[in-house]
Amino acid sequence: MLKNPSQSVKDHLIAHIISKTWRVISLKDDGDSAVKPSLQALRHFLCKNVIRAQDIVLITSQGRCAKGAEGISPLEAQNVPLPQGSPGPSKDIEDSHRFLCKTLSWLRHPDVAPITGRLIGVFCSSLRAWSLSWEAPAGRATSSHGNQPIWFSALKSSIQAQPELLDLFAIHVFPEIVRQDRDGIADFAEVLSLKHLESGNYIAYGSADLHISLLLLRAIKAKSSSETIDNETIEVTAGGLLCHADPQIRVLAFSIIVQSSSLKVPFASTILSSLRLALPNYHAEVDTKTRQDNLALIKRLCLRLKAVLISLSKGELDLRSTKPTLERNGNSSDFPAASELAEASHEQHLAFFEWYREFLLQELSPTASYQRHIVAMKVIDFLMSDLGFLFHEGSNNAFEGGRQDGYHSFCCGLLTTLLALAVDPFDDIRELAACILQSIPGAAWARLRLEGAPEVRSMLSSYATDSVMRDDMSLSAYNTAGNLGLTLACRRAAMRAQSTARADHADGFGRLYALAVGFDTGSEHKNPWSDSDQLALGRLMAELDNRISTARTDIHTAVKTASLHGLLIASRYLVIRYNRHTPPCDAEPTQCRTWQENSRQLLRIASDVWLAVKHILCADAPEGYTPDFLDGQNPLGTKDMLSFCWRALKESSTLMHSMIVGFKNPPIGQVFQHDHHRIFGELAFTELAELRHRGAFSTVSQTFADCCVRCMESEDLETQSLPKEWYRKTLLCIQQRASALTRRSAGLPAMITGILSATPKGAFFDTVIQDLQAIAHVNTDKGSEDEQLDLPQVHAFNCLKDIFTDARFNNSVEQHMSASLELGVHALESDRWAVRNCGLMLMKALITRMNDGTNTLSSKAPSSHRHVSSLVYDKYPNVPDLLLRLLTHKDVIDSERLHKGVAVPDTLISQAQHVFPALEIIEQSGIPRKFGIEIRQASWNHLEGPVWAIRDKAAKALSYLPHSNAIENDKHEWRSLTPLKIPSSKVSSDDWRSFTRYLYRDCPTNSAFALEAAAKRRCRPLVGRFDGSTESSFQGPDISETIFADTGAHGGSSHPEHADRMLRMTGKFLSSLTRESPSLPVAVGEMMVSWARALQLALDDHAEVSMRQAAVDSLAGFFDTAQCFGHDTNKAMGGFHLLLVLYYSLLDDDEDVRNSGASTVSKLLASIAVRDDSKAVRIPLMVPAASHQLLSFLKNYYHNSSAFWTEIVQRIIGNQYRPHQPPHFPSPRALLERLKPEDTALFVEEKQNLYIDEAKEAGVWLEVLLTMDQTAVDIESLGKFEDWTIEGIDALTEVASTEVDGPLGWTWKPEVYTLGVRIIHAAQALMQYSSNESLGVNGKALRARLEKLLVVGEQSILNGTWMRMISKSLE
């Protein structure tokens, strides 16, 4: 085209290309399958300069595409003139914005996103060249922030419209813009005005502005494409946003800081300070995706930190990060020497590393949340395995700088903590703890040796005499390690597993037992092919035989005293160790024979476990099973019995799976020949055929599948034929169990998928599909639904459904899709509900497979993430016929009976079963061309159906189609409360008061509306009658008192929605009172305290989430406009109680409640900062940052308040917040005695609030207490506080002197650990107060008790965190 001599032909061809592609991009032509080629064509022509940005903008804006360019040939295009000129910059900017937004809308489709980003980059570059000819400033459009590039507003609009696609913008769009439009990026840097961002003034920047700014700054820093902004300025800008409420902004800011062209570039001191504030918040992140993003960046931070420390320790300094700062501070002649800069920077980075190392240890405390545990452990694992330090002293010289005392303490604390976490309730925590422990070298374990504590050896000897643990847990299995810490942890884990039978305790014991057996004092763990290891496994098997014998004769006794799964787990971990190691070259034949004999014994044990539990797990309803001899006695619950059985079978099956995995490893594989494959397979096959407990056969299915795979991998032909033999037996089971239609065919689908996993493609696979389709296609006999019939079709449908949902068969099932779709539609037309239901599940699996595995039940709009090039209707040509068949299916519905409220369930369910799959396909893939008009009309007809769910589904499906902007969801009649007509403001005060009292007495609903009306009216007469000149008091009982009392009482009322509404309106009502004349300061203060009490009850952990959310919304309504921090004392104290309630909303278990509270805190602190003209950062804060800032405000504003001091003391000792309640000091000795005993229940009730860390909160309040003026101390409360602390220290000392602690000791119970932390924190505060003699604190007596506790703690291996805290108190 560039060489075409005819300019007119070339212009008209360009017009035709742009017109055609634009019609496709704007969804006016050819459907969405042509979008990707159209975008590719436009980018290609733009790159070759065949088409320019102005051509696209002018043609798409002048109505050319709306006239229909389809069918215009290049010759006919000669009669279509190409537009010339431009109506002006304003119109061009608007048209460019429209084209960019429409093109960016395709970014949501995975297969189109890359080409969309590349097209945008080329278009913006071409647009920049065109804009140079405008009269307006080059390439810019005027906005509220000054002149910005044209693409800025388009990107902002698109991000605001599709915030969930921000990652795609970051991956595909912004790097292309930075690469293609460098001049535009320079303009952006000029107009960004980083001065505001550096100063912390983010108020003028919306969320979309910050997103775009940070994305572009990151791209600029990565590409080094702009000299306008230096890297330090970019990092400081990002540092101010590390605690932003938006998680995407936080991740972007963090990534900018961590990112660097060289790992050796040191961080600025301000950045290290910002990271110290932000990293604790990132470790506590509750959102999984954000937490994973943060973790990846933390690892990158550690990698860079290591490189910087090593570089600085050698005296090397990369001045790229420090030079800009020095240049701003002085002349180049004033620069310090490079060696001085390197030394100072090394000290800063080393201090940061030491802080972070200790912080990681604190994050592993018993009371920390799962999020904090998992992040800290993954970072520690990364530091050890990938970076090679923490435990390797030789590589720590650059990090420690000669300070080995802290390093030694860290190693001891970490090892003890990891041993305790090996029995954590969460699987991944236990697995990661065991993984880290296994990778720790023996030299580091030496730091945990406890030979100096004879009490430990005495205690271990007493454990060895226990009748249950004597035979299989002898000390000889551990003494080779010479490490009593590991021995002690394993012993205690075994006792816990035996007493509670919980899964986490059993798994923890198994992991620690395997670790102890494989531990060696050398630098490497020993190979498992030693005699001692074989003997350890033998002891486990002997004890298993005894317990299985007990279970087969008296399962009641076994459930209570002889749990199996702990020993089975320990055996499995030992087998896994064998699988990971090949026998040494000098291995004796006797060792291999011992392993072969042990393997046969393990297989026999698995078979015996099955015989012991099958009579319970094979019952049709095992959840309700109770043996006859237990009826009426109620010695244990059904859950206990069922848990014992299915856990035993689960672990025995998992043990078998571990053995099967080792089939390939010599000499393990040598013992497993044909007979052993058959035995394994037959046992798993029998279990799957007979089991009815879904949780049990889910693990057996994996064992059976792997056994089939190993059979096919065998070189023995007879072994290879086993899966086909089991398949023939499965077909017989389908026919024999045709009347047993429970549990979705129980284990039959798992048997079929397990057999097919051995041959995922080929003739056998096709044969299995065809056999199942033939069984499923058989018509059912007519009869009543209550009549029991043999329905093997149900089993066949369930097997097909599992095959199509299994990712292992993705490629093989493609050719069977069309026939299976026909089969699914055929099933939906059956007169049997069971067949229709199975057909519906098969259709769901097929629709998921049609959309490349996308979950069609996702809460997001499926069409917003589908692949536009999937071509469903081209791949499966029978789908349009099936759609029309489903949508036009008619069931006779008695509309008259339906409208009268008489249910017609069978007919309505049948209609929904037909319509929903068809509408789901339309929603995913659009309407096909074939039968397009009929299908669209049939879909429209369902908008008028009698069933709401069908109308809603049809409206949703049609709304995603092109040209469907006019389609709306079916209008529903929702019952709503009629708004209360607010009386005129001319009504007298007495009449208004009588009116509201009448409403409240009449109905709680009306009371809520009355309160809302009062808030809107800002009704001062509601509180009392007075005029502006005279002061007045309450005249009798007030409506507000009744409302406040009822608000607190409504937590358990029959009208929770009305209580929620009242709570929300009360905040606005009180806010109006605080703005009134200061004639009633006492009344207003009392009302706020009363309201704070009601809010505190509403925010209780046991209250409904809706009530807690309403309380936070009420606080938000109050603080939006309230004036509670003026000079009036009563108002200020009322505000103090409300601020405490607001703080506790930030510790709520529900994420939405916490976020609402953080939003309120951010707005409140920002308004105060504006009022006081402070330089505080004014951004929406994330929850932990908001709580920190709110506490800082409280301690600054109420630093001399005696009431606030008393509340802080109550928080430290653990009392719940109760406004205006007298201080209470419960006996710590009694608390310790109540909390110390271990809970042995099998099923533990989960803590109501999993977010709050009580021990950490005690430390937070201690920091606040230490900053309070000592003039605020209440002498009477201080005396009781001192007595409470002394009693607590004495109680801890008594227990420590009689019981050994160590790993998994008595201090590792979260409640006991928290109590000890509270007592020690109280001692720290009192030690500071002892320096003021006027307060009367006996510092000498307190110090003596702490020193005694420290000495006793060293002898009894007391909790390391406690010991460090005590030492700090004595400094």
Side-chain angles (χ1 to χ4, degrees), residues 216-237:
L216 286 170
L217 287 175
R218 185 174 68 176
I220 291 170
K221 188 178 180 184
K223 296 288 184 180
S224 299
S225 59
S226 176
E227 298 180 357
T228 308
I229 312 176
D230 59 77
N231 285 346
E232 185 180 2
T233 302
I234 294 177
E235 291 182 357
V236 170
T237 301

Side-chain angles (χ1 to χ4, degrees), residues 468-596:
V468 177
M469 315 304 293
R470 180 178 61 248
D471 295 332
D472 60 315
M473 308 300 157
S474 65
L475 287 176
S476 61
Y478 308 98
N479 282 342
T480 56
N483 187 289
L484 294 179
L486 179 59
T487 307
L488 185 60
C490 192
R491 283 293 183 184
R492 286 172 169 168
M495 296 180 65
R496 288 190 183 184
Q498 180 60 30
S499 61
T500 65
R502 295 177 198 162
D504 51 346
H505 292 168
D507 184 69
F509 158 68
R511 293 181 186 277
L512 290 176
Y513 185 85
L515 181 65
V517 170
F519 186 82
D520 196 354
T521 54
S523 59
E524 299 292 339
H525 296 283
K526 64 183 178 181
N527 196 287
W529 296 92
S530 63
D531 292 337
S532 60
D533 289 359
Q534 300 282 2
L535 291 175
L537 181 59
R539 285 190 294 270
L540 287 175
M541 293 189 296
E543 180 64 21
L544 277 169
D545 282 333
N546 294 333
R547 297 190 183 187
I548 292 173
S549 176
T550 302
R552 297 185 66 176
T553 56
D554 185 3
I555 196 170
H556 173 214
T557 302
V559 171
K560 295 195 300 183
T561 62
S563 62
L564 301 175
H565 50 287
L567 301 179
L568 290 169
I569 292 172
S571 302
R572 169 163 57 91
Y573 286 129
L574 290 181
V575 170
I576 291 174
R577 292 188 67 246
Y578 294 129
N579 293 340
R580 291 175 179 173
H581 295 78
T582 57
C585 299
D586 57 349
E588 298 181 3
T590 55
Q591 294 178 342
C592 295
R593 286 196 296 270
T594 302
W595 161 243
Q596 293 174 2

Side-chain angles (χ1 to χ4, degrees), residues 1138-1151:
L1138 293 180
L1139 287 174
L1140 281 181
V1141 174
L1142 180 59
Y1143 173 79
Y1144 284 106
S1145 72
L1146 302 175
L1147 304 176
D1148 195 88
D1149 187 60
D1150 186 77
E1151 185 178 1

Side-chain angles (χ1 to χ4, degrees), residues 1022-1059:
L1022 185 61
V1023 216
R1025 182 194 298 177
F1026 54 169
D1027 53 37
S1029 58
T1030 59
E1031 189 172 312
S1032 178
S1033 59
F1034 285 108
Q1035 298 181 358
D1038 187 76
I1039 180 64
S1040 61
E1041 299 175 1
T1042 311
I1043 291 176
F1044 294 143
D1046 187 76
T1047 301
H1050 259 301
S1053 73
S1054 59
H1055 302 281
E1057 67 277 9
H1058 307 323

Side-chain angles (χ1 to χ4, degrees), residues 627-638:
D628 295 337
F629 64 86
L630 296 182
D631 289 343
Q633 301 177 20
N634 194 26
L636 49 84
T638 304

Side-chain angles (χ1 to χ4, degrees), residues 247-322:
Q248 293 176 321
I249 291 178
R250 294 198 301 269
V251 172
L252 281 173
F254 194 16
S255 65
I256 289 173
I257 289 176
V258 173
Q259 174 184 296
S260 176
S261 58
S262 172
L263 290 177
K264 296 182 179 180
V265 178
F267 294 100
S269 58
T270 54
I271 296 300
L272 293 177
S273 300
S274 299
L275 288 173
R276 285 201 183 197
L277 296 175
L279 283 176
N281 304 337
Y282 294 168
H283 276 252
E285 178 62 57
V286 295
D287 180 70
T288 304
K289 181 182 182 302
T290 306
R291 186 169 64 250
Q292 293 300 326
D293 293 340
N294 289 335
L295 181 59
L297 293 171
I298 289 173
K299 292 179 179 178
R300 176 72 178 177
L301 171 66
C302 294
L303 188 63
R304 183 175 166 187
L305 188 64
K306 177 183 180 181
V308 169
L309 284 171
I310 293 176
S311 175
L312 293 176
S313 66
K314 298 177 181 178
E316 301 172 359
L317 177 63
D318 193 328
L319 293 175
R320 278 177 286 184
S321 65
T322 57

Side-chain angles (χ1 to χ4, degrees), residues 1169-1240:
V1170 172
R1171 184 194 68 186
D1172 299 341
D1173 194 23
S1174 70
K1175 295 183 179 180
V1177 177
R1178 306 165 188 176
I1179 61 171
L1181 297 169
M1182 63 185 302
V1183 174
S1187 62
H1188 175 75
Q1189 293 292 337
L1190 182 58
L1191 280 181
S1192 298
F1193 172 79
L1194 278 168
K1195 65 185 181 184
N1196 291 334
Y1197 204 84
Y1198 299 103
H1199 59 90
N1200 56 358
S1201 168
S1202 178
F1204 186 44
W1205 183 90
T1206 304
E1207 291 294 341
I1208 295 174
V1209 170
Q1210 293 294 295
R1211 300 294 78 73
I1212 292 177
I1213 67 175
N1215 288 339
Q1216 292 186 352
Y1217 172 61
R1218 293 288 186 268
H1220 272 213
Q1221 293 294 321
H1224 176 55
F1225 295 87
S1227 170
R1229 189 185 303 275
L1231 282 174
L1232 183 60
E1233 293 175 355
R1234 178 170 59 86
L1235 296 175
K1236 188 172 166 291
E1238 197 71 37
D1239 185 4
T1240 59

